[in-house]
Amino acid sequence: MYHVTITYGHPEDPQAFDEYYSTTHLPLAAKIPGVRAFSAGRTETLDGTAPSVYYLASITFDDKESAAAGFTSPEGQAAAADIPNFATGGATLHFNPAEISIP
């Protein structure tokens, strides 16, 4: 498995971010080919302190090649091009193979 994690910084308007993400961005991201699993949500901490990022999305592909193909596809490019439309706090993409898996 290969993971792409996207962290979103704290937006200028959290309500606008949430609305746009769920109604506009998510339908675009859902069309990326090769996605095996997708999860996303606002971040929190166990002790109630402010989290360092606002939102996190986790996308799983079979392998690195599938992730690259998905993100370079027209659907992947459309989703990437949409990020500046709502991510006023910035967005960072992280890529990693699943080297360790328990169980």
Side-chain angles (χ1 to χ4, degrees):
M1 291 289 147
Y2 194 81
H3 302 285
V4 179
T5 303
I6 306 168
T7 55
Y8 295 95
H10 294 276
E12 295 169 6
D13 183 342
Q15 186 175 0
F17 177 101
D18 293 347
E19 176 69 19
Y20 190 95
Y21 192 92
S22 64
T23 62
T24 303
H25 187 69
L26 188 55
L28 291 174
K31 295 177 183 176
I32 298 172
V35 173
R36 287 293 188 189
F38 177 91
S39 64
R42 287 185 300 271
T43 62
E44 55 186 40
T45 60
L46 294 178
D47 65 3
T49 58
S52 61
V53 297
Y54 178 72
Y55 207 85
L56 186 142
S58 179
I59 308 168
T60 303
F61 294 88
D62 284 337
D63 49 39
K64 184 177 183 177
E65 294 74 21
S66 297
F71 276 91
T72 58
S73 71
E75 297 86 354
Q77 291 297 297
D82 187 50
I83 291 174
N85 294 328
F86 67 94
T88 57
T92 304
L93 280 74
H94 311 270
F95 304 89
N96 73 285
E99 296 172 344
I100 299 170
S101 181
I102 300 172

